[in-house]
């Protein structure tokens, strides 16, 4: 009773404290003393009362929209030259569409919230039992029952389950993206709470940490009866996760609503703007400056003209305003020209406001959304095996995909399959396993070595591919080191967090682990006679098979588990074996384990290190295994401190630090047993994809946790590294570093590391500067060196400078935090557009830091895809995503912006020219309807169609010529030159159209009554010509014609004519100046058609001539490929093939009749390879050479031959494979087209 009194006395003291320190929950009682969140959640961005003000605020955060609002406000004043509707209607239309989109999205979120809040759960009521209640009615302290396949309604304390051992399985995909089931265990003391009587008498208090977003940690304790029970994350069931493979569980509500961990993590992902959008801001600023300059010029000219020549303007009557328009009177006051000029400036701001395209932002949003839909529908990026298509999770970055310079990639699960197989091992200094890895096969292929019969692939159980007669069939039990082998298997079978699933037959087990390599370890132990067949909350059960066929059953009591983390890089379990001996079993990264080995036991250490090096060179993932015997007394003393640290609920960070220190204390003086080697095979198509991406000018950086030897050989296997590459290795493994580290002299260690890293980086820079020939380079750096680089600003700059000059970079032994820091370094300091790709939770940081994040939906779950901008199932699809969709989207969005600039320039300058003609008086030549609908109706559809469907080069040819991708990297579609050309094209066309129409009408009057054509007729003719010019200009720009393009262009022109006819038939209040204008005046007049067509034709001719000239004499890369594409299938063509050469070089053309197929066989012996001479046919400008067996010597001879002819060399390096080549044509004629390679 005294102990009970002290427990509740402590509880009372905690309650007196504020919620700053603790979270206190009274289970099965009302919690009136503290205020908790309701379990009703809302993810809506707006409320009904906040939608309008908040929505408008969001819209007017855009500078352009703010300007348009100012423009519309000016149109409401007397100085406006246009009807206010011409500015207000487009503004309302654009903002209305954006807000409607926001409203629809918010409505969907609210609908989903309502569905979740009204889900049902069984809630315990005193004296009533379990009743059905809605989620929103749950409160802190309630007890609920959750059935199989249902989601948990709140964060619960796991009390008991239908499992007799108090276990349950949960799926946490919605929380962390992991697809593997997680095991949860209730407290031993509460697992019998399973019926109404037990809950009726159950009253307890939970003290725990405050609500926080950490889904992997939980610190708390349960005060029940006269005991204090420690709680851990395994006793917590989080909202958003689902109950699996368990009939039902009971739980007490700890956190509700916004306090749950899933809601604490529901923050918006980092906002990313594409580089093109930032360039667009500059274009908009330029247009605004142009608008201001033209308005200033107009107002100054008007003021000067007003002061000098007002007496000539007898038709202007500013005095005739009847007191209603004093501002307009001041605007034409010859006695105060300065005020008049200022007012005229604002008049011109309104009149010229159409220089800035108000509908551009909406058009871009629509176009990008449709582009994303088509990307999602691409069957070439659909992975049938897992039924997973590619997905654009955002459409904001479509065009950014076409400008990527650097790809930062994870290895495991991204380049590889993440399907682990136990392949080799080292036990007691002896290496086991005779198989050949993919990396070794790659080396054998390069050396033309055939696999021996015992190296041929054979069938094996999933997760196990070890082949060695010394271990198989339990022969290891006859080995002299059988005790060590048994200990090795013991660690494999016990040191893990595997969940054992089985049916009625215990032999048919399934191992479910949080990582594939853990499952492969347990499978390997089973195959070698150490079978884990059952696991409970506190024990693991092993069948130890003998070579005689019999087996023994052992129970190992699990005392403690020290979990794996990316910082620790190791995991340990403390067990009591059947003989009562307490053992610490540990596995982890070899460098971490070797640091903690006992110095007194050096046996097998160096042999194991040699084996680890061999395994790494073979591309295998390695771990070291060790153990330690603990005496009862020292263990109990350590366990007391361990429990005491777990009871500290003041601060989870402090608790983690205390537990880490205790783990560090006990994981010392280990005895080495051996090492494991796991093979993770490359995904299909990875080497080819990386090679094509490299040919496209994209540099590949691999950030991996593997050791350096493993990473290097994987790099060779997937073609990140090439044999002719010069490797600059930065590592911290010299004697000075090792000695300083061994002595733990921190100051000396830091100084040595900084000097070593700096010297190695400097050596790399010197080597790069001294290269006389063009050679590929690669940087390879280990995690320790990278850590010092990232902590020193000077080293950062040096490392980045070196790395950006190299073709490939491999960072080894990196942590998730280092991945994110490297990505940020490249993006910010390197000023490069980078793409990060990964598949696991440890890749989320770098995915979010990059310009573009791509998630691989693989074995490790969906957390990477949830944080990414794009997702796909296989790395090889990245090639198509970038080289095809990225390049297309880049050129399309570039064209969209340039075209909007052009069509607003031509329209705006036509207004400016007319205003100049009318002495800058602010007179508009166009009817108000024309001004309002020019952008959203008469010129919008064709440019949208082109921006969605246009293909400058078909996808097959984009993949065939990856160097075309460099167009986006160099921003060749959006250069100042191209923007300027479109800008002046608009001015020239506006000028030609304006003067052709004006001069034509000045000499003709075709109306029957002899009256001259009025301003409305001239304006209608000019507008008709502008609509024709802008839409027909599209015909030149379109690269890929379909019926949709034809419908868009001619349909837009038809819409204009229908509008002109129909509007004139409306009542005068609606039609205004257009009342019967077309039917009565324009249509019967032949000059309308002749002048409009003449103005259109003359305006388009310079543009046509300009484009034709540059296409024929200065073609771009994609235009050359278009010619190849056009001729393909109907005749042979010359395709540039590039090879490395000297300073002077040559073009090779391959005569093709079909893509990649050379069909002309060698037929003349004088061109035979045996002669090693090159004979040109008489009167021929080509060398013909049968190349069925071309080698490096042949290529050298080619080079020497053509250096004598002073031929030009194309330096686009592609695959030097000549398989299937039957004829090579080498052009000697300098007039031949430069070819793709000349531009690459």
């Amino acid at each position: 009773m005294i102990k009970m009194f002290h427990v509740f006395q402590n509880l009372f003291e905690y309650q007196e404290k504020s919620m700053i320190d603790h979270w206190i929950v009274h289970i099965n009682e009302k919690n009136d003393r503290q205020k908790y969140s309701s379990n009703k959640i809302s993810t809506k961005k707006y409320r009904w009362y906040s939608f309008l003000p908040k929505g408008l605020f969001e819209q007017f955060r855009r500078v352009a929209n703010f300007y348009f609002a100012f423009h519309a406000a000016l149109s409401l004043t007397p100085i406006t030259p246009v009807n206010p509707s011409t500015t207000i209607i487009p503004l309302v239309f654009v903002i209305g569409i954006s807000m409607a989109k926001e409203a629809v999205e918010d409505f969907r979120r609210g609908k989903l919230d309502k569905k979740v809040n009204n889900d049902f759960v069984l809630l315990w009521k005193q004296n009533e039992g379990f009743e059905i209640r809605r989620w929103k009615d749950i409160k802190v302290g309630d007890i609920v029952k959750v059935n199989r396949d249902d989601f948990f309604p709140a964060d619960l304390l796991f009390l008991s389950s239908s499992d007799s051992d108090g276990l349950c399985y949960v799926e946490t995909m919605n929380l962390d993206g992991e697809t593997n089931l997680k095991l949860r265990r209730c407290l031993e003391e509460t697992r019998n709470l399973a019926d109404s009587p037990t809950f009726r008498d159950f009253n307890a208090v939970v003290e725990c940490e405050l609500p926080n977003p950490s889904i992997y940690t939980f610190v708390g304790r349960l005060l029940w009866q006269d005991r204090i029970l420690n709680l851990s994350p395994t006793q917590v069931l989080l909202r958003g996760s689902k109950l699996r493979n368990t009939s039902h569980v009971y739980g007490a509500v700890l956190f509700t609503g916004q306090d749950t961990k899933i809601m604490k993590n529901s923050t918006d992902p980092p906002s990313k703007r594409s580089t093109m959008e930032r360039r667009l801001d500059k274009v908009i600023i330029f247009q605004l400056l142009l608008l201001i300059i033209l308005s200033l010029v107009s107002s100054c000219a008007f003021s000067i003209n007003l002061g000098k020549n007002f007496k000539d303007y007898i038709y202007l009557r500013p005095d005739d305003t009847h007191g209603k328009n004093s501002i307009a009177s001041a605007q034409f006051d010859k006695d105060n020209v300065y005020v008049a000029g200022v007012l005229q400036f604002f008049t011109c701001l309104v009149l010229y406001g159409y220089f800035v395209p108000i509908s551009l932002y909406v058009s871009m949003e629509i176009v990008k959304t449709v582009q994303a839909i088509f990307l999602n529908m691409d069957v070439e990026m659909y992975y049938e095996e897992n039924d997973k298509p590619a997905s654009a999770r955002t459409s904001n970055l479509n065009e950014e995909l076409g400008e990527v310079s650097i790809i930062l990639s994870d290895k495991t699960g991204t380049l590889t399959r993440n399907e682990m197989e136990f392949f080799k091992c080292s036990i007691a200094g002896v290496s086991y396993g005779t198989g050949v890895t993919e990396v070794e096969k790659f080396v054998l292929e390069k050396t033309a070595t055939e696999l021996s019969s015992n190296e041929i692939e054979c069938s094996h159980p999933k997760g196990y591919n070890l082949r060695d007669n010394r271990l198989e069939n339990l022969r290891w039990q006859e080995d002299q080191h059988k005790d060590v082998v048994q200990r090795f298997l013991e660690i494999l079978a016990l040191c893990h967090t595997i969940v054992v699933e089985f049916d009625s037959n215990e032999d048919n087990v399934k191992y479910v682990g949080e990582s594939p390599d853990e499952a492969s370890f347990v499978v390997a132990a089973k195959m070698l006679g150490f079978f884990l067949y059952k696991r409970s909350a506190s024990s693991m059960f092993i069948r130890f098979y003998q070579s005689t066929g019999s087996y023994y059953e052992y129970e190992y009591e699990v005392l403690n588990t020290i979990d794996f983390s990316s910082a620790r890089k190791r995991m340990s379990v403390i067990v009591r074996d059947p003989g009562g001996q307490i053992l610490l079993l540990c596995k982890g990264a070899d460098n971490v384990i070797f640091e903690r080995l006992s110095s007194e036991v050096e046996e097998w250490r160096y042999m194991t290190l040699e084996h680890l090096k061999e395994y790494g060179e073979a591309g295998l993932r390695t771990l070291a295994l060790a153990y330690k015997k603990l005496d009862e007394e020292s263990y109990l003393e350590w366990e007391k401190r361990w429990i005491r640290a777990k009871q500290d609920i003041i601060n989870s960070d402090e608790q983690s630090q205390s537990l880490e220190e205790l783990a560090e204390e006990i994981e010392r003086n280990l005895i080495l047993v051996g090492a494991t080697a796991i093979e993770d095979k490359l995904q299909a198509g990875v080497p080819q994809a990386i090679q094509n991406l490299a040919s496209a000018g994209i540099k590949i950086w691999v950030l991996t946790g593997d050791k350096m030897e493993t990473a290097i050989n994987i790099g060779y296997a997937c073609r990140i590294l090439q044999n002719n590459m010069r490797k600059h290795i930065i590592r911290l493994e010299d004697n000075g570093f090792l000695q300083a580290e061994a002595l733990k002299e921190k100051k000396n260690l830091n100084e040595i590391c900084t000097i070593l890293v700096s010297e190695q980086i400097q050596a790399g820079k010197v080597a790069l500067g001294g290269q006389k020939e063009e050679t590929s380079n690669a940087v390879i750096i280990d995690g320790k060196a990278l850590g010092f680089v990232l902590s020193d600003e000077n080293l950062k700059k040096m490392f980045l400078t070196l790395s950006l000059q190299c073709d490939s970079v491999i960072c080894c032994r990196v942590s998730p935090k280092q991945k994110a820091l490297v990505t940020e370094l490249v993006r910010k300091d390197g000023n490069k557009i980078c793409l990060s790709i990964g598949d696991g939770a440890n890749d989320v940081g770098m995915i979010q830091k990059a310009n573009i994040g791509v998630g691989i939906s693989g074995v490790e779950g969906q957390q990477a895809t949830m944080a990414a901008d794009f997702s796909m199932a296989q790395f090889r699809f990245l090639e198509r995503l970038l080289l095809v969709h990225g390049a297309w989207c880049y050129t399309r969005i570039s064209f969209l912006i340039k075209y909007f600039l052009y069509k607003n320039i031509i329209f705006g300058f036509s207004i400016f020219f007319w205003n100049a003609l009318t002495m800058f008086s602010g007179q508009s030549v166009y009817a108000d309807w024309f001004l309002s609908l020019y952008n959203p109706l008469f010129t919008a559809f064709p440019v949208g169609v082109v921006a969605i469907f246009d293909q400058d080069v078909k996808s097959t040819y984009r993949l065939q010529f990856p160097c075309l991708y460099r167009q986006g990297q160099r921003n060749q579609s959006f250069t100042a030159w191209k923007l300027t050309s479109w800008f002046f094209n608009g001015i020239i066309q506006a000028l030609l159209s304006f003067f052709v129409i004006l001069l034509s009408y000045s000499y003709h009057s075709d109306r029957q009554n002899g009256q001259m054509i009025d301003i409305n007729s001239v304006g209608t003719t000019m507008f008709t010509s502008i609509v024709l010019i802008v839409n027909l200009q599209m015909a030149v720009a379109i690269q890929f014609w379909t019926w949709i393009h034809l419908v868009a262009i001619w349909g837009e022109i038809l819409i204009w004519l229908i509008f002109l006819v129909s509007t004139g038939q409306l009542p005068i209040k609606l039609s205004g100046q257009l009342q019967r204008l077309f039917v009565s005046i324009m249509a019967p007049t032949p000059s309308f058609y002749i002048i409009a067509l003449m103005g259109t034709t003359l305006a388009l001719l310079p543009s046509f001539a300009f484009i034709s000239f540059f296409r024929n004499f200065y073609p771009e890369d994609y235009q050359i490929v278009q010619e190849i594409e056009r001729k393909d299938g109907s005749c042979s063509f010359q395709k540039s093939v590039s090879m490395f050469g000297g300073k002077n070089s040559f073009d090779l053309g391959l005569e093709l009749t079909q893509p990649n197929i050379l069909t002309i066989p060698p037929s003349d012996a004088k061109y035979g390879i045996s002669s090693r001479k090159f004979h040109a046919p008489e009167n021929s400008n080509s060398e013909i050479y049968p190349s069925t067996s071309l080698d490096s010597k042949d290529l050298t001879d080619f080079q020497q031959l053509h250096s004598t002819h002073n031929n030009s060399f194309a330096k686009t390096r592609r695959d030097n494979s000549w398989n299937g080549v039957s004829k090579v044509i080498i052009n000697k004629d300098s007039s031949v087209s430069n070819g793709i390679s000349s531009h690459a």
Side-chain angles (χ1 to χ4, degrees), residues 531-663:
F531 176 27
L532 173 67
Y533 69 92
K534 184 180 178 183
R535 180 171 190 162
S536 68
S538 57
S539 298
M540 284 187 273
F541 300 88
I542 299 293
R543 284 182 185 161
F544 181 26
Y545 286 88
Q546 305 296 304
S547 56
T548 58
S550 60
Y551 62 83
Y552 300 101
E553 291 191 352
Y554 296 135
E555 178 182 354
Y556 287 80
E557 182 184 357
V558 181
L559 303 176
N560 299 94
T561 300
I562 308 176
D563 293 324
F564 173 87
S565 70
S566 58
R568 283 170 40 78
K569 296 184 180 180
R570 64 190 185 277
M571 175 196 176
S572 298
V573 294
I574 301 176
V575 299
R576 191 187 301 275
D577 69 10
Q581 175 64 55
I582 300 177
L583 300 172
L584 182 144
L585 309 177
C586 185
K587 68 180 181 185
D590 50 74
N591 60 326
V592 175
I593 297 297
F594 275 76
E595 288 173 358
R596 289 161 175 78
L597 294 181
S598 172
S599 58
E600 299 177 0
V601 183
E602 296 290 332
E603 194 175 11
W604 315 314
R605 180 170 186 159
Y606 296 104
M607 286 302 299
T608 305
L609 279 172
E610 287 298 317
H611 295 155
L612 286 168
K613 184 177 180 181
E614 292 174 9
Y615 299 156
E617 291 172 351
L620 298 173
R621 292 162 54 94
T622 58
L623 287 179
L625 275 57
Y627 79 101
K628 176 182 178 181
K629 291 183 179 180
L630 303 175
D631 63 85
E632 190 83 22
E633 184 178 350
S634 61
Y635 166 71
L636 291 176
E637 190 274 332
W638 176 88
E639 186 185 33
K640 287 179 183 179
R641 289 185 287 138
W642 180 265
I643 294 173
R644 195 180 307 121
K646 281 202 162 188
Q647 290 176 348
D648 180 13
I649 63 171
I650 299 297
N651 188 305
S652 59
D653 293 333
E654 291 182 4
Q655 186 198 63
S656 299
Q657 184 178 354
S658 299
L659 294 176
E660 177 59 31
E661 291 173 357
L662 288 169

Side-chain angles (χ1 to χ4, degrees), residues 23 71 150 340 412 419 559 604 702 737 845 886 908 998 1126 1217 1228:
W23 188 262
H71 182 241
D150 286 342
T412 304
E419 297 175 357
L559 303 176
W604 315 314
V702 176
F737 168 74
L998 194 66
R1126 184 175 63 83
S1217 171
K1228 293 180 177 178

Side-chain angles (χ1 to χ4, degrees), residues 15 71 104 152 170 840 870 904 944 1153 1225:
Q15 287 178 333
H71 182 241
V104 170
F152 299 115
V170 297
F870 300 88
N904 282 273
T1153 52
I1225 296 181

